[in-house]
């Protein structure tokens, strides 16, 4: 049994997830029900962490896989104006549904199952209520116009990478392989500000992530990594130059002091 707590060195294994939100304009009955307590609320929204693949028989983004075999808890930190703004979700679906009128940053914290031996990770998502625009700048259309445009989707693909996993955890992951993303587009695709030209392709229904998008996201991450490495090298060269200048100045001061 003890050997199963040994890490498998040199092995990396990942699991694809998505995080984000879907927002819909409140209908008249919903607004009427909320009038006594929240008369200014205009939208209902759901923020979630899900598996990346979409189930063909469900009208939601992602969620084909149960990710509770590696995620124990997801904590969503909402705006402080919400009651109990820190929401702990300990079983799937890992999501929170609320109503509101404004956009804000949501802190998302993932706690892994004990067998993972991994520290929690934290990231952020900007709650999106209003339709995407060609410029990327926020525009708030009249409520009746927004209602006709349908739900607003804002989702981000990511990969949780487990380096040198424990054997027990590796066994669990291998027993639950993720559903592969579809190869080609069969539904609208999630819009991303990095690809403004994809705005039209994101319209027309519930979006779905594809293998092509996965490839593009990997390429974006690699480009970002290269940019960081290049920036680090630039600052390293600058530091060496400054150290040489300081050394020369110190020598000059020492010579004049003699």
């Amino acid at each position: 049994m003890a050997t199963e707590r040994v890490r498998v060195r040199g092995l990396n294994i990942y699991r694809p997830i998505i995080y984000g939100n879907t927002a819909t304009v409140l209908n008249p009955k919903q607004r009427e029900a909320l009038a006594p307590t929240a008369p200014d609320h205009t939208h209902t929204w759901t923020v979630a962490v899900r598996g990346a693949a979409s189930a063909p028989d469900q009208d939601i983004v992602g969620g084909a896989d149960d990710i509770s075999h590696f995620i124990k808890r997801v904590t969503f930190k909402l705006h402080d104006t919400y009651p109990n703004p820190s929401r702990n979700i300990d079983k799937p679906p890992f999501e929170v549904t609320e109503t509101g009128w404004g956009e804000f940053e949501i802190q998302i914290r993932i706690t892994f199952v004990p067998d993972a031996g991994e520290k929690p990770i934290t990231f952020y998502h900007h709650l999106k209520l209003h339709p995407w625009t060609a410029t990327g700048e926020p525009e708030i259309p009249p409520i009746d116009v927004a209602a006709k445009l349908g739900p607003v989707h804002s989702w981000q693909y990511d990969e949780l990478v487990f380096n040198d996993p424990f054997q027990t955890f590796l066994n669990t992951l291998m027993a639950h392989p993720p559903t592969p993303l579809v190869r080609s587009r069969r539904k609208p695709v999630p819009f991303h500000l990095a690809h403004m030209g994809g705005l039209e392709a994101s319209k027309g229904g519930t979006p779905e992530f594809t293998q092509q998008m996965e490839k593009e996201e990997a390429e974006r991450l690699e480009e970002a990594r290269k940019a960081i490495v290049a920036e680090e090298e630039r600052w390293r060269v600058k530091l060496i130059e400054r150290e040489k200048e300081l050394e020369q100045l110190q020598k000059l001061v020492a010579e004049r002091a003699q």
Side-chain angles (χ1 to χ4, degrees):
M1 184 66 69
T3 57
E4 293 184 341
R5 290 302 294 172
V6 174
R7 290 189 178 273
V8 183
R9 301 294 178 183
L11 177 68
N12 300 329
I13 187 169
Y14 77 92
R15 286 295 177 262
I17 64 166
I18 60 170
Y19 60 91
N21 80 273
T22 295
T24 307
V25 173
L26 293 170
N27 61 43
K29 287 186 177 181
Q30 290 172 318
R31 289 199 295 272
E32 182 180 353
L34 287 170
T37 56
D40 55 345
H41 285 197
T42 57
H43 292 73
T44 179
W45 50 263
T46 297
V47 60
V49 174
R50 298 171 181 157
S54 297
D57 58 343
Q58 293 184 346
D59 193 28
I60 63 171
V61 185
D65 297 321
D66 180 1
I67 56 177
S68 62
H69 61 276
F70 61 90
I71 292 180
K72 177 184 178 182
R73 166 183 291 178
V74 178
T75 302
F76 299 93
K77 178 63 172 65
L78 311 182
H79 195 276
D80 289 338
T81 54
Y82 282 89
N84 183 28
S86 187
R87 311 285 180 88
N88 293 321
I89 310 300
D90 293 321
K91 62 181 180 180
F94 295 108
E95 62 185 44
V96 168
T97 298
E98 270 288 359
T99 63
W101 59 268
E103 299 182 351
F104 56 90
E105 293 293 319
I106 297 178
Q107 182 190 83
I108 302 174
R109 181 180 176 88
I110 291 179
T111 302
F112 297 102
V113 296
D115 276 356
E118 300 283 345
K119 295 180 180 179
I121 60 172
T122 301
F123 44 92
Y124 295 85
H125 170 69
H126 180 81
L127 180 69
K128 182 71 175 170
L129 301 184
H130 308 296
W132 294 102
T133 63
T135 62
E137 295 298 321
E139 295 180 9
I140 304 178
I143 287 296
D144 58 334
V145 174
K148 292 178 181 179
L149 293 173
V152 171
H153 299 279
S154 177
W155 296 90
Q156 177 66 45
Y157 175 92
D158 206 344
E159 294 176 353
L160 301 179
V161 181
F162 303 100
N163 300 312
D164 304 334
F166 285 114
Q167 185 65 61
T168 49
F169 185 53
L170 176 61
N171 292 343
T172 299
L173 292 178
M174 296 298 290
H176 299 85
T179 300
L181 298 179
V182 295
R183 288 182 176 274
S184 58
R185 175 186 169 188
R186 60 184 183 183
K187 296 181 180 180
V189 296
F191 179 66
H192 196 291
L193 288 174
H195 294 280
M196 299 301 294
L199 180 59
E200 289 302 317
S202 70
K203 297 178 180 180
T206 303
E208 178 180 44
F209 284 87
T210 67
Q211 290 185 21
Q212 179 60 31
M213 295 188 69
E214 180 183 27
K215 179 175 178 292
E216 292 172 354
E217 182 65 17
E219 291 173 350
R220 280 198 296 270
L221 292 173
E222 179 61 18
E223 288 300 317
R225 186 192 67 80
K226 290 180 179 179
I228 292 173
V229 170
E231 186 69 7
E232 289 177 344
E233 178 63 17
R234 187 173 71 86
W235 282 104
R236 189 186 70 83
V237 171
K238 277 191 173 184
L239 179 60
I240 292 174
E241 292 175 350
R242 295 296 182 269
E243 287 177 343
K244 288 181 179 179
E245 291 176 2
L246 178 60
E247 184 180 354
Q248 292 174 352
L249 287 172
Q250 289 174 337
K251 287 182 180 180
L252 182 60
V253 171
E255 290 174 356
R256 291 181 175 179
Q258 293 177 352

